[in-house]
Amino acid sequence: MLKKVKVSYNGGMSDCKVFWEEAMKMLHSEYISNGKESNYVLWLSQVKFFSSSGNTITATVPSPFMKKNLAGREELRKVKEKLNLLTGQDFEISLIVAEPGRFESEPAEEKPVQVEPVISQPNHARKPEPVFVPEPEPVVPYPASQAPSVSETEFIRHPQLDPNYTFDNYVVGEDNSFAYSASVAVAKNPGEAYNPLLIYGGVGLGKTHLMEAIGNSAWKDKQSKIIYISAENFTNEFIQSLNDRTMQKFKKKYRSVDILLIDDIHFLQNKDGTQEELFYIFEALYAAKKQMVFTCDRPASELKNLSDRLKSRFERGLNMNLQPPKYETRRAIIERKLSQQNRNIDSKVVDFIAQNVSSNVRQLEASLTKILAYMDLVGKNVTVDIAEQLIATEGFSAKPSDISPDLIIKTVAENYNVTSAAIKGPKRTKNLMLPRHIAMYIMREMTELSSTEIAAEFNGRDHSTALSAFKNIETKIKADSSFDAKIQLLIRSIKEHKINN
């Protein structure tokens, strides 16, 4: 039981700091226990004790965005509660923004913001602000038919970014809220808190959407110098610059940006020359506090043919794992798409799609598109039976009963270089226990088998064995994002095997 301590704060700044750090440790442990460590990392890990006066503690945060958004959040209230519990004092917490090179002795003086009056002028009389438009890509030129039109928007849209990829169009659920919040923070304050930002996950989960939303938001708000490019096109452009002897131009282009967005960095494996050049670009931009965002289909640590020094750079900032959307998110995505197109289908059909197309957002959208096309072309409303037929012809059917326990065991066994018979068998050696537990966990996720039925697949084991396996794997997933990614890769492999056979 904690003992409350009455503390005198006249000149006791060091005591306050001790209690602050203890409060943070306690909160960190609580967030981990509740499976919400991501909230602690995002909102509290960078809040640092600075000074105390009376019943007020001053803490620093890395950006104005963080200060503005943290002030009313539950996380800050919990810090106050922990401090009160430890000290018996009713504290107030004042947040100030930490500037590089400041706070060795005193907090920075917050200066009032001078707001210039807005003078309304007709559009033709306004002096346009200078904007940066990246040079045309030498390998994949920007199509003239898609050239930005000032009449379409109030600003010149970025020529490399899809204007439909915005934060407003991104459906946020429990499975992707952390990645979404981190992306918004990066867009508001590029180069400050989370640099680089690496977003990884399977195909069709929204990695590119979030990356381009960062670019679109920063471009609209600040007209920053932004380059968005796929890793494949970056490689092609690098090779072209070697052939044309224009490396200096290439270097200047990529080292002078404010935000660099590179999609699908797993493509860089085995491309040593491109990796080396990207490493030096990374170093230059990082030193200049310019924002970098990357996407990948797996954690950078699992890229086998990527240099260690480049891996370490990708892992230096914040790494976000996008999970397949849960049912509630899938249903919200369908309803958002219907609303955007001003369409309506039976709620039972919406529920059927959300229940059965679970692997990624792209397949979800493709299923909905086919159903709407059927309604337009045939002129009939879609029932659940018709929807089932339409989705099945696309190869997306993900009915749990369609996936056999043997397929799951076989896939896991091959991944861990053991036999299916060994996983099912009685031996309890270390090299068999983990794949056995993984296979049980995946069966629960992908089939309608009960824990008793799942356990019976493994040499007639008791259902308590299956329950223990579920808990073991869930604990590992919460503690290790790379292990979570591995489970998702196995699930995708099982689904792809089912579709291809």
Side-chain angles (χ1 to χ4, degrees):
M1 183 175 179
L2 288 170
K3 182 180 179 181
K4 293 186 179 181
V5 181
K6 191 72 175 179
V7 181
S8 173
Y9 291 99
N10 295 325
M13 184 184 298
S14 60
D15 289 334
C16 272
K17 185 174 183 181
V18 170
F19 284 117
W20 173 275
E21 291 173 351
E22 182 61 25
M24 286 300 194
K25 287 180 183 177
M26 292 169 64
L27 280 173
H28 193 188
S29 297
E30 287 183 11
Y31 275 87
I32 292 174
S33 299
N34 295 329
K36 296 183 178 181
E37 186 180 14
S38 59
N39 284 3
Y40 179 91
V41 172
L42 183 62
W43 294 107
L44 294 180
S45 63
Q46 298 188 76
V47 183
K48 306 297 182 184
F49 175 89
F50 176 61
S51 66
S52 64
S53 177
N55 285 350
T56 299
I57 288 180
T58 301
T60 64
V61 292
S63 67
F65 172 84
M66 180 75 81
K67 176 182 176 182
K68 178 181 177 182
N69 287 273
L70 183 60
R73 290 189 64 87
E74 181 185 24
E75 286 79 7
L76 195 63
R77 179 182 59 78
K78 288 184 175 181
V79 176
K80 290 177 60 176
E81 288 177 354
K82 279 290 180 286
L83 286 169
N84 295 347
L85 181 65
L86 288 168
T87 66
Q89 295 275 4
D90 187 12
F91 277 103
E92 293 298 325
I93 299 176
S94 174
L95 300 178
I96 57 176
V97 178
E99 299 174 8
R102 300 293 296 274
F103 300 111
E104 283 80 4
S105 57
E106 295 183 1
E109 179 182 351
E110 298 193 8
K111 299 179 180 179
V113 178
Q114 298 295 327
V115 181
E116 295 294 332
V118 177
I119 302 175
S120 178
Q121 298 180 6
N123 286 336
H124 68 270
R126 291 178 184 162
K127 182 179 179 180
E129 296 182 1
V131 296
F132 172 85
V133 180
E135 299 173 18
E137 300 291 337
V139 179
V140 186
Y142 187 76
S145 62
Q146 298 178 17
S149 169
V150 178
S151 62
E152 293 176 358
T153 60
E154 296 178 356
F155 66 101
I156 301 175
R157 83 167 181 86
H158 193 284
Q160 296 162 338
L161 297 172
D162 187 333
N164 295 312
Y165 284 154
T166 65
F167 291 125
D168 290 339
N169 290 338
Y170 191 82
V171 177
V172 183
E174 181 183 347
D175 38 80
N176 59 19
S177 61
F178 187 19
Y180 171 83
S181 298
S183 299
V184 171
V186 165
K188 293 292 185 184
N189 296 279
E192 293 188 18
Y194 312 118
N195 193 27
L197 175 66
L198 173 64
I199 306 171
Y200 67 89
V203 174
L205 297 182
K207 303 185 299 294
T208 300
H209 188 143
L210 279 179
M211 170 181 271
E212 294 202 43
I214 290 170
N216 277 318
S217 179
W219 175 257
K220 184 174 182 179
D221 292 345
K222 300 179 181 180
Q223 296 283 283
S224 303
K225 296 179 182 179
I226 300 171
I227 290 180
Y228 165 77
I229 192 169
S230 68
E232 180 179 6
N233 287 342
F234 179 84
T235 301
N236 291 339
E237 187 177 337
F238 172 70
I239 295 170
Q240 190 70 43
S241 68
L242 291 174
N243 292 333
D244 295 342
R245 298 183 179 181
T246 56
M247 274 303 299
Q248 287 304 116
K249 185 178 180 181
F250 178 89
K251 292 175 186 289
K252 182 179 179 181
K253 173 182 177 180
Y254 284 97
R255 298 185 192 194
S256 63
V257 298
D258 296 313
I259 301 177
L260 176 61
L261 312 170
I262 300 184
D263 216 351
D264 295 334
I265 59 169
H266 47 271
F267 181 85
L268 298 175
Q269 295 181 98
N270 291 317
K271 297 170 180 64
D272 297 339
T274 309
Q275 289 182 34
E276 183 176 9
E277 183 57 37
L278 179 57
F279 171 79
Y280 290 119
I281 290 171
F282 186 108
E283 292 291 273
L285 294 179
Y286 190 83
K289 298 189 182 300
K290 304 301 182 182
Q291 182 68 48
M292 291 166 284
V293 183
F294 305 99
T295 69
C296 190
D297 65 354
R298 72 204 79 168
S301 60
E302 295 184 12
L303 296 174
K304 295 181 180 179
N305 299 304
L306 196 73
S307 68
D308 289 339
R309 65 179 184 175
L310 199 51
K311 281 184 188 179
S312 70
R313 297 313 187 272
F314 289 143
E315 295 172 337
R316 177 181 285 176
L318 184 63
N319 286 210
M320 303 304 308
N321 182 13
L322 278 183
Q323 299 290 330
K326 295 182 180 179
Y327 165 78
E328 293 82 4
T329 306
R330 297 196 297 270
R331 176 148 191 152
I333 290 170
I334 295 169
E335 291 173 347
R336 172 75 65 86
K337 293 293 179 183
L338 290 170
S339 176
Q340 288 173 344
Q341 299 179 45
N342 197 26
R343 302 294 297 270
N344 186 41
I345 61 177
D346 190 288
S347 62
K348 292 181 180 179
V349 175
V350 173
D351 183 67
F352 175 81
I353 301 171
Q355 289 280 8
N356 290 281
V357 185
S358 59
S359 55
N360 63 60
V361 177
R362 199 169 296 164
Q363 289 186 351
L364 198 67
E365 293 177 341
S367 298
L368 179 60
T369 297
K370 187 159 191 177
I371 286 172
L372 293 176
Y374 176 91
M375 293 173 64
D376 292 339
L377 296 173
V378 179
K380 294 182 180 179
N381 289 328
V382 173
T383 64
V384 171
D385 289 339
I386 294 174
E388 183 176 356
Q389 295 174 20
L390 293 172
I391 292 174
T393 60
E394 289 293 327
F396 297 160
S397 181
K399 279 191 170 183
S401 58
D402 288 343
I403 296 174
S404 70
D406 285 340
L407 173 59
I408 294 171
I409 293 172
K410 180 175 181 291
T411 304
V412 175
E414 289 175 350
N415 188 268
Y416 280 88
N417 199 27
V418 295
T419 65
S420 296
I423 287 184
K424 289 183 174 183
K427 290 185 178 180
R428 296 174 55 84
T429 56
K430 187 175 181 180
N431 69 314
L432 292 175
M433 289 296 289
L434 179 59
R436 182 178 294 148
H437 285 183
I438 289 173
M440 289 182 176
Y441 174 83
I442 292 177
M443 276 189 203
R444 186 190 69 173
E445 295 298 300
M446 300 188 73
T447 74
E448 294 180 334
L449 297 176
S450 67
S451 58
T452 301
E453 291 169 326
I454 290 173
E457 294 288 336
F458 297 83
N459 202 34
R461 285 177 167 82
D462 184 77
H463 80 284
S464 62
T465 303
L467 295 176
S468 177
F470 303 156
K471 185 175 181 180
N472 178 36
I473 299 305
E474 286 170 351
T475 300
K476 287 181 179 295
I477 285 173
K478 289 178 181 179
D480 185 353
S481 61
S482 64
F483 181 79
D484 188 15
K486 187 164 190 173
I487 297 296
Q488 297 306 323
L489 282 172
L490 284 169
I491 290 174
R492 285 200 296 274
S493 296
I494 293 165
K495 289 181 178 179
E496 289 168 3
H497 185 279
K498 180 64 184 176
I499 291 171
N500 294 330
N501 291 275

